[in-house]
């Protein structure tokens, strides 16, 4: 009896998950599953306010003309997400509810966009790929975070959806739509600065007749970017360039170069390295308060370390900063250079110093690239889910190290001047004694699940790249592959592989993997059919 019941249960579950048989039915079914997944995350996880969230809040206040806002110290942010905060009523109603609703809506729609993108490859393929995206929870991971990542995930899928219509229909309006999405991505994250031109170039290569429309798109994006740069300059007071419109390119490259330098940043590397070290050596004794102005606030242990051990020993501090690279020292160098020569010049100086280090020691750049690309493929995402709960207040192993455990203390400190209603919304969860341990248990098992499937999907995406010449769906697959490669390269060279950055393109990787499976399944079925006909 129990075996029969189990069999009926399995058949019932299979029927529930199986495609409806019609495109409309499939979409409705996926919509129900997507809403259910979003509701789970909406109820089960609290609003996440990270240290970075505060900088977007401050920038948004500056956009509104609020004197309490500070875009100057947060000059490295772009106006896109602050504008979203304003538009969703965060300041009008002193609530994140509008923002969370907007981000939840984007999460719910994402699997439906995946289905629409793949439906020409095969409706069954499109359905199961969209269903797996729901099961993976990647469309919903960031929807309660006051960060750009939820909209970045959505924008990547929306982009590939618009591009799929462009490649299949050859209608120019979809190229313009893709360009609009690309510019929106650029306003969200400066790392997308060059992606627009790369994608438009791919569109011209794959559809040469669209070159006039592509040139118009480039001109429109350049004009819009000029306006964005002007807004950035007006709000922050700092001049900037298009490539580094937020004066961050050199700083992020230096992040990897400095942390991997092993004490090899030296004046002998070149003029930029010499200038950087000279500024540090000569300016720090005259600017002791720069330690308190560091982007990463020092905890009590670190303050005692700096103001105790190095109060009257600036040479010792210099030796330690360049001989024993640490994140606190990195922010100290960044802040000191900004205070001394300004954000634009400091960005250029850190960029040149990094290039000189790589030129003098080529192995360091190879090491960074290999390490970060490996991390991009094998990152542990469960850590991100744990981030929503308070980290234990663990003191750093070394007093000069700024650790991830300090992040929540920084976030809590940044909330002190926020309206009470916003403070109450952050971290709120029903039945915390029950939900907190359940969240941690869930994140553990979800992490194992994702850790297994993530490398598999990534490898399948790599295998899908060569088939673009053998199928009419090739332009879509190739473009998705190029977008993932761009994101992986930018993240690996100019940043570190935080799980939330990896999520941005996972759904595009999944799309390529699904196309690969569909291609080989069709080939196998065709061969089987020919074999049967011969027999």
């Amino acid at each position: 009896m129990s075996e029969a019941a189990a069999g009926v249960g399995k058949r019932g579950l299979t029927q529930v998950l199986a495609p409806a048989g019609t495109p409309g039915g499939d979409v409705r079914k996926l919509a129900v599953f997507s809403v259910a997944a979003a509701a789970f995350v909406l109820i089960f996880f609290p609003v996440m306010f990270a240290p970075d969230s505060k900088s977007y809040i401050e920038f948004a206040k500056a956009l509104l003309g609020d004197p309490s806002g500070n875009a100057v110290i947060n000059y490295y942010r772009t106006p896109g997400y602050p504008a979203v905060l304003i538009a969703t009523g965060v300041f009008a109603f002193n609530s994140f509810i509008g923002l969370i609703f907007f981000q939840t809506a984007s999460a719910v729609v994402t699997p439906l966009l995946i289905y629409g993108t793949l439906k020409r490859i095969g409706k069954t393929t499109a359905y199961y790929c969209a269903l797996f995206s729901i099961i993976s929870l990647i469309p919903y991971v960031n929807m309660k975070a006051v960060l750009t990542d939820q909209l970045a995930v959505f924008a990547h899928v929306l982009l590939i959806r618009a591009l799929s219509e462009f490649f299949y229909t050859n209608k120019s309006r979809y190229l313009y739509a893709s360009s609009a999405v690309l510019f929106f991505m650029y306003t969200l994250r400066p790392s997308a600065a060059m992606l627009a031109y790369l994608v438009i170039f791919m569109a011209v290569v794959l559809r040469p007749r669209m070159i006039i429309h592509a040139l118009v798109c480039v001109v429109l994006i350049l004009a819009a970017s000029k306006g964005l740069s002007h807004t950035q300059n007006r709000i922050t007071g700092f001049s900037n360039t298009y490539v580094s419109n937020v004066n961050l390119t050199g700083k992020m490259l230096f992040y990897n170069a400095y942390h991997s330098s092993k004490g090899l940043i030296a004046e002998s590397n070149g003029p930029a390295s010499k200038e950087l070290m000279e500024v540090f050596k000569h300016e720090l004794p005259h600017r002791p308060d720069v330690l308190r102005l560091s982007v990463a606030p020092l905890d009590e242990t670190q303050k005692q370390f700096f103001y105790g051990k190095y109060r009257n020993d600036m040479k010792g501090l210099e030796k330690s900063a360049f001989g024993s690279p640490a994140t606190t020292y990195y922010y100290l160098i960044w802040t000191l250079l900004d205070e001394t020569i300004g954000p634009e010049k400091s960005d250029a100086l850190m960029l040149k110093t990094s290039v000189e280090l790589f030129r003098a020691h080529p192995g360091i750049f190879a090491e960074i690239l290999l390490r970060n690309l490996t991390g991009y493929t094998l990152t542990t995402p469960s850590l991100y889910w744990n981030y929503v709960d308070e980290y234990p207040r663990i003191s750093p192993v070394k007093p000069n190290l700024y650790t991830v455990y300090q992040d929540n203390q920084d976030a809590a400190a940044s909330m002190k001047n926020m309206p009470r209603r916003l403070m109450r919304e952050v971290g709120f969860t029903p039945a915390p004694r029950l939900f907190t341990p359940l969240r941690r248990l869930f994140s553990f098992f979800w992490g194992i699940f994702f850790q297994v499937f993530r490398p598999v999907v990534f490898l399948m995406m790599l295998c899908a790249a060569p088939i673009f010449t053998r199928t009419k769906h090739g332009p879509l697959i190739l473009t998705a592959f190029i977008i993932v490669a761009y994101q992986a390269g930018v993240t690996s060279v100019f940043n570190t592989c935080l799980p939330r950055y990896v999520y941005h393109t996972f759904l595009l990787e999944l799309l390529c993997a699904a196309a690969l499976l569909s291609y080989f399944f069709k080939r196998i079925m065709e061969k089987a059919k020919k074999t049967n006909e011969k027999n």
Side-chain angles (χ1 to χ4, degrees):
M1 186 71 177
S2 60
E3 291 181 3
V8 171
K10 288 180 180 178
R11 287 195 297 273
L13 180 62
T14 302
Q15 290 175 354
V16 168
L17 296 178
T22 63
D26 287 346
V27 169
R28 286 191 293 272
K29 220 171 188 183
L30 289 169
V32 170
F33 293 146
S34 188
V35 168
F40 167 73
V41 175
L42 200 62
I43 296 169
F44 205 59
F45 288 88
V47 174
M48 193 187 82
F49 192 91
D52 286 349
S53 306
K54 177 67 173 177
S55 61
Y56 291 112
I57 294 287
E58 292 291 334
F59 202 104
K61 286 181 179 179
L63 281 176
L64 288 170
D66 187 335
S68 67
N70 191 342
V72 176
I73 197 171
N74 300 302
Y75 66 83
Y76 48 89
R77 297 303 182 198
T78 43
Y81 196 67
V84 171
L85 295 176
I86 295 169
T88 53
V90 170
F91 303 98
F93 304 106
N94 280 331
S95 175
F96 290 125
I97 291 175
L99 174 70
I100 301 306
F101 178 80
F102 178 68
Q103 293 188 164
T104 300
S106 72
V108 169
V109 170
T110 297
L112 308 183
L113 293 174
I114 292 173
Y115 179 83
T117 302
L118 288 173
K119 65 183 179 182
R120 287 184 176 88
I121 293 178
K123 292 182 178 62
T124 302
T125 299
Y127 176 83
Y128 281 113
C129 183
L131 181 63
F132 187 82
S133 75
I134 295 171
I135 295 171
S136 75
L137 292 182
I138 293 300
Y140 320 95
V141 169
N142 301 288
M143 72 183 209
K144 294 192 74 177
V146 186
L147 292 167
T148 60
D149 301 289
Q150 174 60 40
L151 297 183
V153 172
F154 172 71
H156 275 89
V157 178
L158 183 62
L159 172 63
I160 205 66
R161 177 73 182 97
L163 286 170
S164 71
E165 290 299 317
F166 169 70
F167 288 128
Y168 287 127
T169 67
N170 290 319
K171 292 180 179 178
S172 60
R173 65 172 178 263
Y174 293 112
L175 182 60
Y176 289 107
S178 301
S179 300
V181 176
L182 285 163
F183 179 71
F184 174 67
M185 293 169 71
Y186 174 43
T187 68
L188 283 178
R189 301 186 62 82
S191 58
M194 295 293 109
L195 181 61
Y197 306 106
L198 178 61
V199 170
I200 292 173
F201 172 76
M202 290 295 301
V204 171
V205 170
L206 297 168
R207 295 291 184 269
R209 293 181 180 179
M210 291 290 177
I211 188 168
I212 301 299
H213 293 289
L215 289 173
V216 172
C217 288
V218 169
V219 170
L220 290 174
I221 290 175
L222 282 172
S225 300
K226 184 67 176 176
L228 185 69
S229 181
H230 174 74
T231 301
Q232 197 82 17
N233 175 256
R234 179 176 58 84
I235 296 295
T236 64
F238 299 126
S239 57
N240 50 70
T241 63
Y242 174 66
V243 175
S244 185
N245 78 307
V246 290
N247 296 310
L248 194 62
T249 304
K251 295 178 177 73
M252 295 315 299
L253 182 61
F254 187 73
Y255 178 90
N256 277 320
Y258 170 73
H259 281 87
S260 302
S261 63
K262 304 169 186 175
L264 294 175
I265 294 178
E267 294 182 2
S268 58
N269 288 352
S273 303
K274 183 177 180 180
E275 182 182 352
L276 186 146
M277 297 187 77
E278 286 290 327
V279 169
F280 189 91
K281 185 188 305 180
H282 294 301
E283 293 295 331
L284 188 60
H286 306 295
R287 297 171 180 268
D289 286 343
V290 79
L291 292 171
R292 295 191 182 94
L293 297 173
S294 177
V295 174
L298 307 180
D299 64 13
E300 289 303 317
T301 308
Q302 293 164 328
K303 286 178 182 177
Q304 291 172 15
F305 178 80
F306 280 120
Y307 291 103
K309 185 172 181 178
Y310 291 129
R311 182 185 294 276
N312 299 310
D313 186 13
M314 290 296 106
K315 288 186 178 180
L317 178 56
E318 178 194 355
K319 184 178 179 181
S320 181
F322 290 98
S324 303
T327 304
T328 296
Y329 286 141
Y330 165 75
Y331 285 127
L332 174 62
I333 295 169
W334 174 349
T335 307
L336 181 64
L337 291 175
D338 273 4
E339 288 288 307
T340 306
I341 60 178
E344 186 179 15
K345 290 182 179 178
S346 69
D347 190 68
L349 185 62
M350 293 167 99
L351 177 65
K352 293 173 183 176
T353 300
S354 302
V355 172
E356 288 176 356
L357 175 67
F358 298 149
R359 190 182 298 145
H361 307 280
I364 291 178
F365 182 75
E367 177 188 329
I368 291 170
L369 202 58
L370 181 62
R371 181 187 68 235
N372 286 350
L373 283 174
T374 302
Y376 194 88
T377 309
L378 303 175
T379 188
T380 305
S382 60
L383 293 176
Y384 185 74
W385 286 101
N386 287 334
Y387 191 88
V388 301
D389 292 312
E390 185 177 359
Y391 276 110
R393 297 197 174 199
I394 300 176
S395 298
V397 177
K398 294 181 180 179
N400 65 320
L401 292 182
Y402 173 81
T403 71
V404 70
Y405 298 107
Q406 191 181 333
D407 276 358
N408 267 50
Q409 299 175 44
D410 293 344
S414 68
M415 289 292 290
K416 286 182 179 178
N417 298 323
M418 299 287 286
R420 279 187 183 178
R421 183 170 175 178
L422 287 179
M423 292 176 66
R424 286 198 302 268
E425 289 180 0
V426 172
F428 170 77
T429 179
R433 291 184 179 180
L434 173 65
F435 275 41
T436 299
L438 286 177
R439 275 199 303 270
R440 289 174 179 166
L441 185 65
F442 167 79
S443 70
F444 173 76
F445 286 107
W446 184 85
I448 294 174
F449 162 78
F450 196 85
Q451 197 69 34
V452 171
F453 282 98
R454 160 77 174 133
V456 172
V457 170
F458 192 83
L459 181 62
M460 290 176 67
M461 179 205 66
L462 294 179
C463 295
I467 72 170
F468 79 92
T469 57
R470 303 185 179 186
T471 169
K472 65 178 181 179
H473 311 297
L476 177 66
I477 298 168
L478 180 62
T479 305
F481 179 84
I482 293 295
I483 293 171
V484 174
Y486 173 89
Q487 178 72 7
V490 168
T491 302
S492 298
V493 174
F494 294 99
N495 213 308
T496 187
C497 294
L498 298 177
R500 60 192 180 99
Y501 297 155
V502 175
Y503 297 147
H504 292 181
T505 54
F506 173 75
L507 296 177
L508 269 62
E509 298 167 23
L510 183 62
L511 185 147
C512 291
L516 177 72
L517 287 177
S518 177
Y519 173 79
F520 281 115
F521 181 74
K522 287 178 179 178
R523 298 291 83 78
I524 291 170
M525 293 299 292
E526 287 174 1
K527 286 185 178 181
K529 186 178 180 180
K530 289 180 181 179
T531 302
N532 291 333
E533 288 175 353
K534 288 181 180 179
N535 294 333

